[in-house]
Amino acid sequence: MTSIPPGSWLGLLGGGQLGRMFCMAAQSLGYRVAVLDPAADGPAASVADRHIHADYLDAAGLARLAALASAATTEFENVPAAALEFLSASARVTPAAASVAIAQDRISEKTFLSGHGFGVAPYKVLRTSEDAASVDPALLPGIVKSARLGYDGKGQIRVSSVAGIGAAFARMGGVPCVLERFVDLACEVSVIVARDDSGASVTWPVAENRHRDGILDVSIAPARVDDALADRARGIATGVARALDYRGVLCVEMFVTRGGEILVNEMAPRPHNSGHYTIDACATSQFEQQARVLAGLPLGDTMQHTPAVMVNVLGDAWFDGPQAAGPRDPDWTRVLAHPLAKLHLYGKHEPRRGRKMGHVTCLGATLADAIATARAVKLDLGIPGADELA
Ligand code: AMP
């Protein structure tokens, strides 16, 4: 394709923080961004050049987006694949609706991954209560996960008996689920990969991810795994993107087992929270790369120039922490007092516990320095787990 030059309009479906950071990166390259978002004043709409306030399947809204932008992408994996298909009739769309559809459903995702030879945690698809009642006990203890619309640990119930699986399936309302065996984790890692129209792909260094209550808490980059394991993880991400014939930025989240196996947990057809460190620590961020692939520009270099630890800031920081009881704004001056702490706030008006409000990327001359700053930032904001961060 001929590339879409800076100055042109790019379209975006979804208006959350990933969209906000996409807008900023694309605008920095000189593009104008039109965001279609059903919310009135989401994080992306407030920085977009134009906000089309419409539902994802609103034909008039999609037509307005297509009339303005010759290329469109998504920041929200649960955007209806039909919206991407609609746009692709008149605009370039990356990633393709088919790739997004696979990642939207844990059953199709696992079927796809295992069908292409990628390791996944042992699982069974649960569509009926009979399926739930006839699970091989070797899959226990496990986790019942709803096939669709689960994120940040939502739509997941831990189970330790066959009776418990039936109860969990019923609690999910009988929607299609997968039961996954609980994996003995050494650590969790993710790799962001970008792939262009020619099939060329690049990966960023592996991120080591720590979760709290099912939500990403901290990403450490580069991950403290040996080089061979990091190469394998990057190779898996590249392989998944190739198998999907993917265009755009894709995150592949993986479990590293104590036995040294790498299992793919899930994939996100968009930039990912665990790749936020790339904004401050790499030559090209995941968001700039999303704009580059969308516009048909050459891929940017993914070199990491500075060790980094990304700390997520949830709404809890408005309620807890070293200051008086909330909700009240955290004392950002404490965070900003660290010269290598890079604060990113998403402009969300309503802090809620568990809601992603921002993140802080802590840089350092060494990873140990970055970790020390991340620990201090956690204490500044009253985010639990400073002591465990080593
Ligand atoms: P998910 O939404 O599937 O990414 O799950 C959220 C978090 O729950 C993961 O990042 C893990 O920390 C944990 N988890 C999910 N599935 C498993 C599993 N099969 N074995 C061990 N931990 C898991």
Side-chain angles (χ1 to χ4, degrees):
M1 68 168 283
T2 52
S3 61
I4 300 169
S8 312
W9 283 89
L10 299 177
L12 178 72
L13 290 174
Q17 63 267 17
L18 300 175
R20 179 184 178 92
M21 291 181 271
F22 168 79
C23 284
M24 290 170 161
Q27 288 165 335
S28 178
L29 290 174
Y31 292 96
R32 289 178 287 174
V33 184
V35 168
L36 186 146
D37 182 21
D41 63 347
S46 63
V47 301
D49 296 276
R50 187 150 320 163
H51 174 204
I52 298 169
H53 187 189
D55 281 339
Y56 295 120
L57 289 173
D58 180 285
L62 289 169
R64 276 175 64 207
L65 188 67
L68 201 57
S70 52
T73 185
T74 175
E75 62 103 48
F76 175 53
E77 75 198 65
N78 289 319
V79 72
L84 296 172
E85 269 156 24
F86 180 99
L87 286 173
S88 63
S90 58
R92 168 178 166 79
V93 175
T94 64
S99 299
V100 176
I102 290 173
Q104 278 174 350
D105 183 302
R106 285 189 196 273
I107 297 173
S108 54
E109 187 176 56
K110 286 207 185 295
T111 310
F112 174 86
L113 288 166
S114 43
H116 284 84
F118 299 102
V120 297
Y123 71 101
K124 179 177 179 191
V125 174
L126 310 179
R127 292 187 195 277
T128 64
S129 47
E130 289 72 42
D131 292 339
S134 61
V135 168
D136 180 349
L139 288 174
L140 292 168
I143 309 181
V144 175
K145 303 181 176 184
S146 65
R148 299 183 75 87
L149 302 177
Y151 66 98
D152 286 348
K154 293 190 178 72
Q156 300 194 2
I157 301 174
R158 294 195 176 198
V159 289
S160 52
S161 66
V162 175
I165 298 169
F169 181 69
R171 260 178 69 198
M172 294 280 194
V175 297
C177 290
V178 294
L179 166 75
E180 216 177 275
R181 200 179 70 205
F182 204 76
V183 172
D184 191 13
L185 297 176
C187 64
E188 292 184 62
V189 298
S190 57
V191 174
I192 317 276
V193 53
R195 190 166 181 275
D196 71 12
D197 287 20
S198 74
S201 63
V202 289
T203 55
W204 280 265
V206 181
E208 176 185 336
N209 301 324
R210 308 257 183 105
H211 296 80
R212 186 171 291 276
D213 301 328
I215 304 176
L216 185 66
D217 177 35
V218 165
S219 288
I220 301 168
R224 292 159 303 169
V225 295
D226 65 49
D227 289 350
L229 193 134
D231 287 348
R232 267 163 59 208
R234 291 174 87 153
I236 288 170
T238 305
V240 170
R242 191 187 313 117
L244 284 168
D245 195 18
Y246 195 80
R247 304 277 184 287
V249 172
L250 173 79
C251 174
V252 182
E253 291 183 80
M254 302 172 225
F255 296 142
V256 180
T257 70
R258 290 200 189 276
E261 235 186 323
I262 301 180
L263 306 175
V264 178
N265 173 23
E266 56 185 356
M267 52 199 183
R270 50 167 174 76
H272 188 261
N273 197 167
S274 63
H276 290 356
Y277 82 88
T278 61
I279 297 175
D280 298 302
C282 296
T284 307
S285 77
Q286 59 174 350
F287 300 103
E288 177 181 338
Q289 204 79 290
Q290 184 181 17
R292 282 174 169 269
V293 177
L294 180 60
L297 301 174
L299 292 168
D301 195 306
T302 55
M303 174 200 49
Q304 182 175 2
H305 48 71
T306 312
V309 178
M310 191 255 4
V311 178
N312 257 350
V313 181
L314 305 181
D316 305 60
W318 273 249
F319 297 90
D320 307 330
Q323 306 153 66
R328 40 94 198 103
D329 281 343
D331 183 358
W332 301 121
T333 58
R334 290 174 184 241
V335 176
L336 295 165
H338 303 286
L340 285 174
K342 312 297 287 183
L343 175 65
H344 299 260
L345 290 174
Y346 307 148
K348 296 184 183 178
H349 304 303
E350 194 195 334
R352 285 195 301 272
R353 288 192 183 275
R355 188 177 197 204
K356 291 175 180 170
M357 302 296 288
H359 70 269
V360 183
T361 301
C362 302
L363 302 174
T366 63
L367 194 54
D369 290 348
I371 290 172
T373 300
R375 218 182 286 130
V377 165
K378 278 194 155 216
L379 292 173
D380 292 338
L381 294 173
I383 301 172
D387 297 346
E388 300 150 30
L389 193 54

